[in-house]
Amino acid sequence: LIGDAAHTVHPMAGQGLNLGLGDVQVLAASLGKADKAGMDVSTFLNEYASDRQRNVSIALGGIHTLQRLFGNQNVALLHAND
């Protein structure tokens, strides 16, 4: 899957489009490798999935951290945000 269908991202970070564009870039590279090698694209799909899972996990970790920090109702943390 590509883009918003593959990634549930909190809209606060606005990273859904960026993750989707990354999906397209890596998938296009995988398709190009398969074409150049004269092989079936399924040969390269595990590489695509592994690459995207790693990158999306990193992005989601940062997004969740921001959400916890700025979405927190703790008075001390609210003043730290100012």
Side-chain angles (χ1 to χ4, degrees):
L1 293 170
I2 293 176
D4 289 343
H7 313 294
T8 55
V9 179
H10 190 282
M12 174 182 66
Q15 293 300 306
L17 177 64
N18 292 341
L19 292 173
L21 292 174
D23 292 343
V24 171
Q25 180 183 17
V26 175
L27 183 58
S30 295
L31 292 171
K33 285 180 189 178
D35 185 53
K36 186 174 182 178
M39 299 174 71
D40 185 67
V41 71
S42 64
T43 307
F44 296 93
L45 290 182
N46 284 339
E47 179 183 326
Y48 164 79
S50 174
D51 180 87
R52 294 312 300 150
Q53 182 178 16
R54 182 177 50 255
N55 286 301
V56 169
S57 293
I58 291 168
L60 289 178
I63 291 166
H64 290 303
T65 299
L66 288 173
Q67 183 180 10
R68 282 192 303 273
L69 178 62
F70 293 107
N72 196 312
Q73 297 303 313
N74 182 302
V75 175
L77 288 177
L78 287 173
H79 291 293
N81 290 336
D82 292 331

